[in-house]
Amino acid sequence: MKSRSLKLREAHKSSGAASFCSILWDLRAQHLLTSSSNDLSICIHDPLLPSNSPQILRHHRDGVTALALSPNSTCLASGSIDHSVKLYKFPGGEFQTNVTRFTLPIRVISFNRSGSILAAAGDDEGIKLINTIDGSIARVLKGHKGSVTGLAFDPNGEYLASVDSIGTVIQWELHSGTALHILKGIAPDTGSDLSVLNVLSWSPDGETLAVPGLRNDVVMYDRDTAEKLFSLRGDHVQPICFLSWSPNGKYMATAGLDRQILIWDVDQRQDIDRQKFDDRICCMAWKPNGNALAVIDVMGKYGVWESAVPSSMKSPTEDVPSLQSKNSNGLLLFDEDEQEPSASGSLSDLGEDSHGESEPPSRKRLRKQSTYDEDINDDLLSSLPKVESRKKASHSHKESLNNGNEGLKSTSARLKMQEAFQPGATPVQPGKRRFLCYNMLGSITTIEHDGYSHIEIDFHDTGSGPRVPAMTDYFGFTMASLNEHGSVFANPCKGEKNMSTLMYRPFSTWANNSEWSMRFEQEEVKVVALGSAWVAAMTSLNFLRIFTDGGLQRYVISLDGPVVTASGFKDELAVVTHASHCLPSNDQMLEFRVFNISNGTQPLKGHLPLTPGSCLTWFGFSEEGQLSSYDSKGVLRVFTNQFGGSWLPLFSASKEKAEENYWVAGLNMNKLFCIVCKSPDLFPPVMPKPVLTLLDLSFPLATSDLGAETLENEFILKNMHLLQIQQRIEEMAAAGLDTTSLDDEAFNVETALDRCILRLIASCCNGDKIVRATELVKLLSLEKSVKGAIKLVTALKLPNLAERFNSILEERLLNETSRPATLPLTSSNHDACTTPDVVTSKFLTSIQSSKPSQPVIPLPSPQLSSPLFAKKGKLQEGAKVGNEKVEQRRTAIVENIGKVKSLAEVKSIEDVMNQGEASIGEIKNGAVNQRPSNPFAKSSSNQEKSSLFDAIKKMKKVDETGKR
Amino acid sequence: MAGQSDPHISLFSAQEVEFLGEDEMVEIVPNMRMDPLNLICGDFGPFRPQIATQVPLWLAVALKKRGKCTIRPPEWMSVEKLTQVLEAERNSLREFQPLPFHYVEIARLLSDHARDDIPDVYMVRSLIEDIRNVRFHKVETGLETIHERTHAVKLKNLSAMEANIVRPFVVRALQAFYKHDSPEMIPQPDTTAIRRRQAADRGPKRDRRY
């Protein structure tokens, strides 16, 4: 047991006499309210900054005896010795109204769970139930003989329990106003001491009512029968004067007249912690969202006991029962009648809960969260069927997981084709700005205000993007798209007089008034898209309408099915449509097609794959123009021309952190740009301005026995990049454009890929996967890398593998030397088998030149590999070689190659190329004739010449590999 | 305090300490596109709109002045964290809470140049001020315990600015005690000994930075 003391601060002057003080948290624990029956003022403290002076409300003319906050913390009520009950706005604290007056001091007030009823009672006879909307007295409950000091609404909204100063507890039925149970003399008689008030409290699940007992204990009574269930008895040596349930109902804090607070584990009926104080604690309140207990003593000093429940135990806010969350959001609405069916529903729910050992997951969420979550969702589901699409699928999925009832209800609704959506838009949130369009360039946001919408266009790059003035939108646009030239808006049709309208606003134009709009009769725009000098609108009649920049109606095309979404990139428009009704397994059947607007062609068409049970949430192009899609299960797919046009899954949110959702904004070759939203949010708010996060793309690879997933992933990714670059080079070459920069890029990717492969080979060798290593060596693109691989395996003491690698290298050298002579401009990559038809003597000799020793003197392979190392300056076994002459020769060749290699690395290739391009043919002719003599020649001049030739030949080769 | 009353005695001026503090890294969200900057102290960037990147404080402030970025205040500069720190500082009389070595300077620079990027800037400022005062008070009370047997003072988690202020006083006080304690050891106080002591004094503090 801890004996550390809690420091209390003075909130209200006590003037020496004990007074009843109250303390209260607001819903989000941002404020702490205190009052004292000796003080006229109510203080609103900031619990984070206790040293700051509190906000003070002074409206009562006598001490404040009771405080209550409506369940949504928007309304504060106070009762006073001056006989009045006042209402204030919260947290502002503006006085609103005197809601009722009594003839004698008020002792206690309480809101019901929905905030529609305020109960007030005191020394008067009768408990007044006040309708908080109009302030009318709904009912007066009479029956207490003493002054009423404690009131508690049953969380399920059926009963009200009250206790008076002589110890009588009455349980009232709310809708009839009758006293169901009268329990006389079960609570202590507090007599005339007004600083001690009898209290009572329902457990948060409403199953038990806790009342201080006569034997310094707390007695629990059953909800329906009012029978005594059990009691918490322990170390209190004087009667209990206050008690408070923890938000989850697992713990209870009790304060006794013996000046101590005990924390109880209710299920174990055991006290778990205690704290002694200088004065009697007369009020306590659990922090609604944390492990802390606010206390106030009779001298008006308050404090917050942090981690009142030992941290080793379950938090007092864990597993908060989410009863009637629907009603608790209600503002001050009188919904007593509506409450009953739902109340009984939740009753049966509760019954199941308390019997079952494990609680359903929905109970595990905090009450607050689930309330908001469901409310928004409910609202959206009911009132805004159009914009909910992206949220809905995942939500309904969650619901079906969480909650059997809801899941059943929504199964019929779930089997629905996905609604049309605009990529990068967020759903409508009442009173909040939302995105109509968010992309890598900027955003279009809107907010509805007094029947009009207010639209703003912002560019992320404020320096270079055009400045677009904000505009007032009388149409109520719900779709928009943005690119660097302009923005397009569209609204759905709302009845007869409000037709669907499409509007285009260019950002900069030489002509005045070049904004244009189109109206559609009996047709509704579903999706809009923008490209370079065209605007596209997909409509409810499955038309694809294409307009030019200036508003010319260019094409109208019929689509195959109802549109889902669309995206534009330069000349290309990609449209996703429904291929058929969705499958019984709830898989959307989508197909996509890409149109080239300026050429009037359709380059691509096919099915759009989705993760089973998911729907499309984002669709667009990467920065390089690759078609990409993102589904509600968090899988990103990128289209590739490989394998006849396929989608590659390049990212999976399930591999990332579980508590985060990713809202995609765009991607490039290596990274996914997205906004990270903390669960349960699925989309970002407009303010504060969201910041993009970069995530690495990765294939969903299987867990291999190699244990080098990152390398394997890098390997596949690099291969894909190389392929993409090569494709673009081909396209550009076909168009007759300069490809040098792309060549460089390709070369860089190639070297990076080789590095990656080498590391993979190393891990393969370590993992004893020799065959796999051999496969990898064949994939190396640079000769140098192959040599590196040989060196690597030699270092790893795998002579067999080194031998194999050597033969691979020889084969490769053979093919490569053969190629420049015969097919100097071949562009194919691995045409190892293409042997030229005409085998000339030159060809034969050139083979000899590249591997001179093999046919002449067969050497053991480890020794064969050694001269190759000589290139790197590691001539180790040279002395052992028997035939020194051959050795020297080979070294010379290798040195040549080495020289050329280093030349190539310095990248002076291009210079040399330019200088010698015109005469290459001649040199070749001449040089090739000299070629055979080259390796065997001893004369220095010859050597020099041949090395020049070698250099040029090598350059051509490097150039070619670069082009690949 | 000696250092406060006479600024010439402290080894660095406040501006100089601030200058040193400007090398701390902060996160910014640029609103322009720029290639990576290759500077002597390192490469920063690339800068892409709405994508956060790490830069030294001086660069962040320079960009901020030109309206090219927003600065994301460091994690410890939230009202919540600072309140916790302040409470902890008040509760423990002997220890200092771990804060960045240049917390005073960072907070000062950010609240001067990027006040619109810091939520509750006034609150943050006053909290920093409070924390500084509490810590300084602690230093002062701690130094009162120096007596003739003290050979060294160990101050864990002391920040740059605080160390800078107390250093001359502590060093001289220790020297004085040492001198009076064993007058035969130092016949005449020579400056080289002082230097060496100061250097030794600075050594471990620098380690704390990392």
Side-chain angles (χ1 to χ4, degrees):
Chain A
M1 292 288 163
K2 274 175 255 171
S3 60
R4 107 201 117 85
S5 66
L6 182 67
K7 277 191 222 158
L8 298 183
R9 289 166 180 276
E10 184 164 271
H12 300 275
K13 289 229 161 46
S14 65
S15 68
S19 60
F20 183 79
C21 300
S22 314
I23 193 160
L24 216 56
W25 289 96
D26 78 343
L27 180 64
R28 262 162 249 191
Q30 287 160 339
H31 305 278
L32 199 55
L33 295 99
T34 59
S35 71
S36 159
S37 62
N38 267 358
D39 194 354
L40 311 187
S41 51
I42 302 166
C43 297
I44 304 178
H45 305 268
D46 189 338
L48 293 177
L49 298 163
S51 51
N52 281 21
S53 58
Q55 188 187 351
I56 290 179
L57 309 178
R58 266 176 176 274
H59 294 282
H60 283 293
R61 280 173 292 146
D62 209 333
V64 181
T65 48
L67 284 180
L69 264 178
S70 68
N72 56 1
S73 277
T74 56
C75 179
L76 169 68
S78 67
S80 161
I81 302 179
D82 71 2
H83 311 174
S84 67
V85 176
K86 295 180 194 287
L87 286 184
Y88 313 84
K89 272 189 188 159
F90 193 78
E94 295 90 358
F95 172 71
Q96 279 190 304
T97 170
N98 266 322
V99 78
T100 187
R101 280 183 189 283
F102 280 56
T103 53
L104 286 170
I106 319 282
R107 293 291 165 204
V108 62
I109 55 177
S110 174
F111 277 102
N112 73 343
R113 182 71 174 248
S114 64
S116 59
I117 308 175
L118 176 68
D123 298 353
D124 265 18
E125 81 164 333
I127 302 161
K128 282 188 188 175
L129 299 184
I130 302 150
N131 187 339
T132 47
I133 290 177
D134 49 8
S136 62
I137 307 286
R139 190 159 273 153
V140 182
L141 308 172
K142 291 186 182 176
H144 277 291
K145 300 275 189 292
S147 65
V148 178
T149 56
L151 285 173
F153 277 99
D154 152 34
N156 297 326
E158 280 185 77
Y159 308 124
L160 171 71
S162 59
V163 63
D164 61 19
S165 59
I166 56 172
T168 303
V169 173
I170 301 184
Q171 190 177 341
W172 310 86
E173 194 176 33
L174 274 174
H175 73 98
S176 65
T178 52
L180 286 180
H181 305 285
I182 302 176
L183 308 166
K184 281 188 183 162
I186 61 160
D189 185 346
T190 56
S192 57
D193 185 358
L194 288 176
S195 69
V196 183
L197 299 179
N198 262 337
V199 292
L200 75 181
S201 180
W202 290 96
S203 64
D205 60 5
E207 285 300 296
T208 45
L209 176 67
V211 182
L214 298 171
R215 290 189 287 177
N216 309 336
D217 55 355
V218 178
V219 185
M220 305 291 179
Y221 294 90
D222 185 71
R223 164 195 179 79
D224 298 309
T225 60
E227 276 171 319
K228 183 173 165 179
L229 293 173
F230 59 93
S231 66
L232 301 178
R233 234 177 123 192
D235 292 329
H236 276 299
V237 292
Q238 287 186 52
I240 285 166
C241 61
F242 198 89
L243 52 89
S244 177
W245 291 89
S246 71
N248 61 355
K250 194 166 164 39
Y251 306 100
M252 175 181 274
T254 58
L257 298 177
D258 51 3
R259 298 177 188 171
Q260 59 175 346
I261 295 181
L262 261 64
I263 309 284
W264 300 83
D265 186 323
V266 177
D267 298 334
Q268 308 286 329
R269 296 166 203 183
Q270 179 70 44
D271 57 327
I272 52 178
D273 204 352
R274 72 181 62 191
Q275 181 106 252
K276 284 208 180 258
F277 292 89
D278 298 335
D279 284 299
R280 211 165 62 226
I281 299 297
C282 55
C283 191
M284 296 177 290
W286 287 92
K287 192 172 182 176
N289 55 3
N291 181 4
L293 183 70
V295 299
I296 191 162
D297 68 11
V298 288
M299 292 301 156
K301 289 189 193 144
Y302 81 102
V304 178
W305 180 3
E306 294 289 345
S307 46
V309 172
S311 48
S312 56
M313 306 187 68
K314 239 179 176 181
S315 159
T317 52
E318 216 175 309
D319 300 345
V320 173
S322 63
L323 273 182
Q324 295 210 348
S325 43
K326 277 175 218 140
N327 290 334
S328 63
N329 83 316
L331 298 166
L332 302 171
L333 292 170
F334 195 78
D335 54 357
E336 202 181 353
D337 292 339
E338 295 166 13
Q339 231 166 286
E340 274 150 33
S342 66
S344 58
S346 52
L347 250 180
S348 59
D349 245 42
L350 276 165
E352 285 163 24
D353 282 2
S354 53
H355 293 307
E357 278 295 310
S358 65
E359 290 183 330
S362 69
R363 298 279 182 269
K364 298 218 162 162
R365 291 190 290 177
L366 284 179
R367 184 201 322 162
K368 198 179 74 191
Q369 261 182 6
S370 66
T371 309
Y372 279 77
D373 204 339
E374 282 169 24
D375 284 338
I376 293 171
N377 203 21
D378 281 352
D379 287 356
L380 283 173
L381 283 175
S382 56
S383 61
L384 300 157
K386 251 163 216 132
V387 265
E388 105 247 86
S389 58
R390 67 188 356 226
K391 270 193 73 173
K392 205 203 69 199
S394 56
H395 258 281
S396 55
H397 172 69
K398 259 186 213 162
E399 274 165 18
S400 68
L401 273 179
N402 287 345
N403 198 320
N405 289 338
E406 292 235 21
L408 278 176
K409 227 189 290 169
S410 57
T411 28
S412 55
R414 275 197 318 170
L415 276 182
K416 213 164 68 177
M417 284 154 75
Q418 186 177 359
E419 292 277 350
F421 71 93
Q422 202 65 37
T426 55
V428 179
Q429 295 156 280
K432 276 196 198 158
R433 195 165 265 281
R434 65 143 174 153
F435 288 113
L436 286 180
C437 172
Y438 188 101
N439 56 27
M440 292 308 292
L441 199 67
S443 63
I444 301 179
T445 59
T446 184
I447 187 167
E448 195 174 316
H449 185 69
D450 291 341
Y452 304 121
S453 293
H454 191 72
I455 290 186
E456 278 176 17
I457 302 176
D458 294 300
F459 285 89
H460 299 321
D461 190 347
T462 49
S464 62
R467 269 174 202 282
V468 185
M471 68 177 203
T472 310
D473 149 34
Y474 300 98
F475 296 94
F477 292 130
T478 59
M479 293 158 262
S481 187
L482 171 79
N483 70 4
E484 50 282 326
H485 308 296
S487 55
V488 63
F489 300 91
N491 63 324
C493 65
K494 287 180 247 164
E496 285 292 301
K497 57 181 190 286
N498 196 343
M499 275 185 284
S500 186
T501 310
L502 179 77
M503 188 175 92
Y504 179 70
R505 286 182 87 193
F507 292 138
S508 58
T509 170
W510 52 271
N512 292 331
N513 202 10
S514 48
E515 185 177 309
W516 52 264
S517 63
M518 300 279 161
R519 293 203 292 172
F520 300 95
E521 276 183 54
Q522 286 162 6
E523 191 177 352
E524 192 177 45
V525 179
K526 290 286 188 189
V527 178
V528 293
L530 264 184
S532 57
W534 53 264
V535 177
M538 275 57 63
T539 67
S540 56
L541 298 181
N542 296 349
F543 286 155
L544 163 61
R545 293 170 176 273
I546 291 171
F547 307 88
T548 63
D549 230 357
L552 186 68
Q553 306 211 29
R554 198 79 169 85
Y555 310 103
V556 182
I557 303 163
S558 248
L559 290 171
D560 286 353
V563 67
V564 179
T565 190
S567 179
F569 179 79
K570 292 180 183 163
D571 274 345
E572 294 193 328
L573 167 69
V575 183
V576 179
T577 56
H578 283 286
S580 70
H581 203 276
C582 56
L583 299 179
S585 57
N586 196 25
D587 291 333
Q588 304 284 337
M589 299 301 290
L590 305 180
E591 61 180 10
F592 74 97
R593 50 191 61 212
V594 177
F595 300 96
N596 190 315
I597 304 295
S598 62
N599 298 345
T601 55
Q602 192 191 94
L604 296 173
K605 174 187 176 176
H607 268 282
L608 183 73
L610 291 175
T611 313
S614 70
C615 60
L616 189 65
T617 57
W618 183 84
F619 186 73
F621 289 90
S622 75
E623 285 187 349
E624 289 82 20
Q626 298 279 321
L627 203 58
S628 325
S629 76
Y630 191 74
D631 65 31
S632 59
K633 289 274 170 72
V635 178
L636 178 84
R637 291 183 175 79
V638 174
F639 188 81
T640 169
N641 282 333
Q642 266 175 300
F643 304 108
S646 307
W647 292 85
L648 306 175
L650 268 183
F651 174 81
S652 176
S654 58
K655 290 204 170 179
E656 308 287 322
K657 288 177 211 151
E659 71 273 17
E660 289 179 347
N661 289 316
Y662 303 104
W663 194 77
V664 175
L667 71 156
N668 69 11
M669 210 178 251
N670 302 308
K671 301 275 184 182
L672 173 67
F673 303 108
C674 62
I675 298 168
V676 176
C677 305
K678 289 262 174 288
S679 289
D681 291 341
L682 294 171
F683 50 84
V686 174
M687 289 303 291
K689 220 173 176 184
V691 175
L692 290 170
T693 307
L694 303 184
L695 295 174
D696 285 320
L697 298 181
S698 64
F699 280 93
L701 291 181
T703 315
S704 79
D705 47 1
L706 205 58
E709 271 85 11
T710 46
L711 279 178
E712 287 181 296
N713 186 43
E714 190 186 333
F715 169 65
I716 302 197
L717 272 177
K718 287 265 159 54
N719 265 324
M720 189 187 73
H721 291 168
L722 195 59
L723 210 82
Q724 284 177 5
I725 294 172
Q726 282 165 2
Q727 231 171 54
R728 243 179 304 151
I729 291 174
E730 268 171 37
E731 277 168 26
M732 286 178 79
L737 296 168
D738 181 33
T739 59
T740 34
S741 66
L742 278 175
D743 285 346
D744 285 355
E745 203 181 327
F747 183 74
N748 288 339
V749 175
E750 253 173 10
T751 47
L753 180 62
D754 275 8
R755 261 198 302 272
C756 173
I757 293 176
L758 283 178
R759 273 184 287 161
L760 263 178
I761 291 173
S763 63
C764 280
C765 292
N766 289 331
D768 213 20
K769 306 276 179 254
I770 309 282
V771 180
R772 215 176 290 172
T774 321
E775 284 168 355
L776 283 165
V777 168
K778 286 179 187 156
L779 295 175
L780 285 167
S781 49
L782 299 180
E783 193 184 308
K784 200 174 95 182
S785 320
V786 184
K787 286 173 184 159
I790 294 167
K791 200 180 144 197
L792 183 83
V793 291
T794 318
L796 289 169
K797 308 224 162 43
L798 294 164
N800 286 340
L801 204 56
E803 194 177 339
R804 203 166 271 280
F805 284 8
N806 246 320
S807 58
I808 291 170
L809 176 65
E810 277 155 19
E811 201 176 312
R812 170 194 283 268
L813 284 174
L814 180 88
N815 290 328
E816 278 177 2
T817 43
S818 71
R819 210 183 299 137
T822 52
L823 297 161
L825 285 172
T826 179
S827 62
S828 56
N829 194 351
H830 299 292
D831 51 353
C833 53
T834 54
T835 32
D837 292 340
V838 191
V839 181
T840 59
S841 64
K842 284 181 227 164
F843 176 51
L844 279 171
T845 45
S846 74
I847 294 171
Q848 274 184 352
S849 77
S850 69
K851 41 171 206 168
S853 61
Q854 189 88 351
V856 186
I857 309 153
L859 285 172
S861 63
Q863 283 170 358
L864 176 70
S865 67
S866 66
L868 296 168
F869 297 159
K871 190 201 76 172
K872 308 238 169 177
K874 280 190 183 178
L875 185 61
Q876 295 163 339
E877 301 172 47
K880 289 179 192 168
V881 182
N883 197 329
E884 281 187 14
K885 260 190 181 178
V886 175
E887 186 57 44
Q888 273 174 1
R889 252 185 258 141
R890 274 156 74 235
T891 322
I893 298 157
V894 169
E895 267 168 9
N896 272 349
I897 295 168
K899 248 187 245 165
V900 174
K901 267 285 168 193
S902 63
L903 249 176
E905 273 168 30
V906 178
K907 285 199 179 186
S908 58
I909 324 154
E910 275 164 31
D911 294 358
V912 183
M913 282 283 284
N914 291 341
Q915 286 166 13
E917 193 143 291
S919 54
I920 274 182
E922 291 161 35
I923 294 176
K924 195 165 71 185
N925 283 339
V928 165
N929 288 336
Q930 291 168 353
R931 175 89 195 177
S933 63
N934 156 32
F936 304 98
K938 293 279 177 285
S939 76
S940 61
S941 64
N942 221 341
Q943 190 83 339
E944 219 177 273
K945 238 189 167 175
S946 69
S947 78
L948 174 70
F949 165 72
D950 263 358
I952 292 164
K953 205 181 74 175
K954 209 60 189 178
M955 273 172 250
K956 283 195 75 76
K957 202 180 75 195
V958 168
D959 185 48
E960 199 184 300
T961 45
K963 263 185 188 156
R964 258 185 260 138
Chain B
M1 264 309 115
Q4 275 177 323
S5 57
D6 188 356
H8 298 293
I9 298 176
S10 65
L11 288 175
F12 297 110
S13 69
Q15 284 82 5
E16 283 165 336
V17 180
E18 186 181 286
F19 180 78
L20 295 176
E22 281 180 350
D23 279 340
E24 296 283 312
M25 300 297 276
V26 290
E27 203 172 37
I28 62 164
V29 180
N31 57 14
M32 76 330 183
R33 190 174 285 273
M34 188 162 74
D35 288 334
L37 289 172
N38 303 316
L39 307 174
I40 293 174
C41 54
D43 296 349
F44 306 111
F47 301 93
R48 277 177 287 186
Q50 292 306 116
I51 294 174
T53 180
Q54 294 269 346
V55 295
L57 188 54
W58 61 265
L59 183 56
V61 169
L63 288 173
K64 178 73 193 173
K65 274 184 186 161
R66 287 159 182 76
K68 295 287 184 204
C69 73
T70 54
I71 300 177
R72 298 179 99 183
E75 214 177 295
W76 55 267
M77 250 180 90
S78 66
V79 172
E80 200 177 341
K81 274 270 158 62
L82 288 175
T83 322
Q84 279 171 13
V85 170
L86 181 59
E87 282 294 308
E89 289 284 0
R90 284 191 174 140
N91 288 341
S92 70
L93 295 173
R94 313 208 112 252
E95 282 180 10
F96 295 97
Q97 294 305 306
L99 274 174
F101 188 59
H102 289 289
Y103 82 98
V104 182
E105 299 90 308
I106 295 173
R108 173 67 193 267
L109 280 167
L110 289 190
S111 62
D112 280 356
H113 298 290
R115 47 178 53 243
D116 47 334
D117 295 338
I118 307 170
D120 306 317
V121 64
Y122 288 105
M123 193 69 92
V124 167
R125 234 180 139 151
S126 69
L127 277 169
I128 296 262
E129 201 77 2
D130 287 353
I131 290 172
R132 227 178 71 166
N133 290 338
V134 170
R135 288 170 66 120
F136 210 82
H137 180 73
K138 235 185 271 184
V139 173
E140 280 175 348
T141 50
L143 291 186
E144 278 169 18
T145 60
I146 294 183
H147 54 86
E148 63 273 22
R149 291 280 164 229
T150 315
H151 293 293
V153 180
K154 188 183 172 191
L155 295 168
K156 216 180 155 192
N157 287 332
L158 201 65
S159 81
M161 205 59 110
E162 290 153 355
N164 192 44
I165 291 172
V166 297
R167 185 180 294 132
F169 170 78
V170 174
V171 170
R172 282 198 329 201
L174 287 177
Q175 263 168 21
F177 277 125
Y178 191 57
K179 199 171 80 185
H180 295 309
D181 198 32
S182 51
E184 73 284 357
M185 297 280 287
I186 308 170
Q188 67 260 27
D190 62 341
T191 46
T192 52
I194 298 170
R195 289 250 174 82
R196 210 176 303 132
R197 192 92 65 77
Q198 282 177 346
D201 187 45
R202 239 183 296 164
K205 267 176 198 151
R206 188 162 296 160
D207 289 344
R208 259 174 253 130
R209 228 190 255 218
Y210 305 107

